[in-house]
Amino acid sequence: MWAVIKKEFKSYFYSPIGYVVIGIFLLCFSVFFYLTTLTLGSVDLGALYYYTALYGLIIIVPILTMRMFAEERKNGTEQLLLTSPISVFKIVMGKLLAALGVIVITLIISFLFYFIVSFFGKPSISQVLVAMLGFILMSIATLSVGMFASSITENQIIAGIITVAFLIISLFITDISNLFSSFALINFYTSFAQGVISLENIISLVLFSVLFISLTIMVMQRRKMIK
C-alpha cells in the first residue's frame, strides 16, 4: 500500500493540483480567520476550522478526488492497476491516504494562525488539536465520497460535480427529513470545533467513511473481475 501512497502523493505535486489545493485551502483559512477571529477580536479558533470544513472541503475534495479512478480509466491504465499484485483494498486506501496527506500538510501550516493569535491572547491549544482531529475525520469522510464518485465514471468533471452536489445536499438534508441526518456530515463536526471529543460523532464519521470506502472497493473489485 505504501507504494500506492507514495505514487499518488507525488502525483499531486508533480502537477499543479497539490499546490492549487493547498493555496485554496490556505485562502479559505485566511478569509475565515479574518471574519471569525480578527474582526471579532476573538481568540477562539473553533469557528475558523468549522467554516473552513463547511465551505473549504466542498471546493477542495472534488479537486483531490475527481481524477483518482476516472483518470486511470480514461487513460487506459486502470487495467494495469487492477491486474497488479496489489489488492484492491490497498489501492483504494493508498489513494485515499495520499489525498488526506495533502490536507494534513495544510492543517499543519494552519498552526500559524494559532501562533498569530497567541501574540494577542491565550487561545486554547487543546481546542485547536481537537478541531484538527475532527477536521481529519471530516476530510476522510468527504474524500471517501469523492473517491466513490470517481470510481463510477471515467469523466473527471462528472465525478467532481457528483461530489460537490452530494456535499452541498448534505448541508440541507436534515431540513428534508431527520431520516437523512446520518448524511449531514457537518453536524458531526460541530462538537470538535467547540473543543469537545464526542465518541458518537467519531463513530458516525468513521462508519460513514467505511460505507463509501466499501462501496468504492466493491465497484473496483467488480471491474477487476470483468477485466
Side-chain angles (χ1 to χ4, degrees):
M1 184 167 66
W2 173 247
V4 178
I5 296 174
K6 187 177 180 180
K7 172 183 173 294
E8 291 295 318
F9 187 75
K10 283 183 176 180
S11 72
Y12 284 120
F13 294 98
Y14 283 156
S15 67
I17 294 176
Y19 305 101
V20 169
V21 165
I22 292 176
I24 294 175
F25 235 149
L26 290 178
L27 177 62
C28 288
F29 270 113
S30 299
V31 169
F32 290 121
F33 178 68
Y34 175 77
L35 294 175
T36 65
T37 306
L38 292 184
T39 57
L40 299 178
S42 172
V43 295
D44 183 353
L45 294 174
L48 167 64
Y49 287 94
Y50 177 84
Y51 285 109
T52 303
L54 180 62
Y55 298 110
L57 289 175
I58 293 176
I59 302 171
I60 297 305
V61 168
I63 297 175
L64 284 173
T65 60
M66 64 184 185
R67 56 180 286 278
M68 278 185 175
F69 293 104
E71 186 179 52
E72 300 272 8
R73 192 172 303 166
K74 184 178 180 180
N75 294 339
T77 56
E78 182 186 61
Q79 186 172 1
L80 293 174
L81 184 67
L82 294 178
T83 54
S84 68
I86 305 174
S87 68
V88 171
F89 173 78
K90 289 181 178 180
I91 292 171
V92 170
M93 291 305 299
K95 286 178 175 287
L96 177 66
L97 292 175
L100 180 63
V102 179
I103 294 177
V104 169
I105 288 175
T106 311
L107 282 178
I108 293 173
I109 297 174
S110 75
F111 257 116
L112 289 172
F113 298 107
Y114 172 80
F115 293 121
I116 292 172
V117 173
S118 296
F119 282 106
F120 306 100
K122 294 182 179 180
S124 171
I125 184 64
S126 61
Q127 181 188 30
V128 172
L129 293 176
V130 170
M132 286 186 173
L133 170 63
F135 201 102
I136 290 173
L137 292 174
M138 270 285 291
S139 298
I140 294 173
T142 52
L143 286 170
S144 67
V145 172
M147 186 171 60
F148 173 67
S150 184
S151 72
I152 59 177
T153 177
E154 66 176 26
N155 190 306
Q156 296 182 42
I157 303 300
I158 292 176
I161 291 173
I162 292 173
T163 306
V164 170
F166 183 94
L167 296 180
I168 291 177
I169 290 172
S170 73
L171 299 179
F172 308 100
I173 201 164
T174 51
D175 296 333
I176 300 173
S177 172
N178 288 329
L179 294 174
F180 302 110
S181 59
S182 297
F183 293 95
L185 293 177
I186 196 61
N187 291 345
F188 302 134
Y189 183 66
T190 304
S191 64
F192 290 103
Q194 296 170 346
V196 177
I197 296 178
S198 166
L199 183 59
E200 180 182 354
N201 289 340
I202 290 176
I203 293 173
S204 296
L205 287 170
V206 169
L207 289 177
F208 184 95
S209 302
V210 168
L211 170 62
F212 279 93
I213 290 171
S214 299
L215 289 173
T216 304
I217 291 173
M218 289 170 61
V219 170
M220 298 311 296
Q221 193 67 53
R222 184 170 179 274
R223 293 191 63 81
K224 182 176 183 177
M225 293 174 62
I226 295 174
K227 297 291 183 183

